[in-house]
Amino acid sequence: MNKYLLRGIVFLTAGIICVFLGYTLMENDNNWYKLIMTLGVIFFGIGVVALMYRVFRKIDRNTLIEDRKGQSEK
């Protein structure tokens, strides 16, 4: 498993858990929900960026492999 895929999944999961916890705290009238929800959104964003970076790296890697294969055939 790629490290960027693993980090993306971990941050996405942490973000979802933080936002869920924030909603729970908001229903209980606890003021910590603002900080928890902010962290959840930031974690979720980092997770999405890490997953997208992994996709772009994979596309770039496949393109490089195809280019090298084409150059070696010449």
Side-chain angles (χ1 to χ4, degrees), residues 2 4-5 18-19 23 31-32 39 44-45 51 55 66 69:
N2 190 347
Y4 296 108
L5 176 64
C18 285
V19 170
Y23 275 119
N31 285 333
W32 282 98
L39 287 175
F44 191 83
L51 288 176
V55 169
E66 288 176 7
K69 187 183 289 185

Side-chain angles (χ1 to χ4, degrees), residues 15-31:
I16 291 170
I17 290 170
C18 285
V19 170
F20 181 73
L21 181 63
Y23 275 119
T24 305
L25 290 175
M26 186 171 53
E27 289 175 1
N28 295 333
D29 295 329
N30 191 337
N31 285 333

Side-chain angles (χ1 to χ4, degrees), residues 32-61:
W32 282 98
Y33 79 91
K34 297 173 188 176
L35 178 65
I36 301 294
M37 288 184 95
T38 303
L39 287 175
V41 170
I42 291 170
F43 287 162
F44 191 83
I46 291 171
V48 169
V49 169
L51 288 176
M52 292 304 297
Y53 184 68
R54 183 217 184 245
V55 169
F56 290 137
R57 278 180 50 110
K58 186 167 186 133
I59 292 170
D60 188 43
R61 180 179 180 274

